[in-house]
Amino acid sequence: MHTILQPEGWAKPIGYANGVAARGQLIFIGGQVGWTGQGQFETDDFVGQVRQTLTNIVAVLTEAGAKPEHITSMTWYFTDKAEYLANLKGIGEAYREVIGRHFPAMAAMQVMALVEDRAKVEIQATAVIPD
């Protein structure tokens, strides 16, 4: 559906792609945090917030007639790099549960704070529904 861009001789990334080429309808998903569609946080657990954030992304994709495999890139913002790194296994499990085994181009970074005080993670995504 999309073409993964993997330069010859480069080590294969784990859990993301170096680049993705795609054609079709673009879907831009604003930063989603780990609260419900009604704006309520149900957990302060990092992995729980990641799972809810990914679920929110899928809900927006569904509204556009898209699926998780249409995601071409994601940017992850989190407030605590140590907490992110300490939870990689749980994050991976939540990701595969909600998104599946589809790994788009990704960037991840620690930020000083997010606009929503209880938010531990925010994810912005872009998707392309093929022509």
Side-chain angles (χ1 to χ4, degrees), residues 38-52:
Q38 292 70 45
Q40 301 297 315
F41 285 95
E42 294 182 341
T43 184
D44 290 316
D45 174 70
F46 191 88
V47 173
Q49 285 199 14
V50 166
R51 181 177 285 105
Q52 182 64 55

Side-chain angles (χ1 to χ4, degrees), residues 26-33 53-64 66-68 70-75 77 99 122-128:
L26 298 172
I27 311 295
F28 299 96
I29 301 170
Q32 299 295 307
V33 296
T53 301
L54 295 170
T55 299
N56 295 345
I57 289 169
V58 171
V60 175
L61 287 171
T62 301
E63 187 67 20
K67 298 178 181 175
H70 295 129
I71 298 170
T72 55
S73 69
M74 300 175 94
T75 304
Y77 306 92
I99 303 295
E122 183 167 338
I123 304 173
Q124 185 175 14
T126 303
V128 179

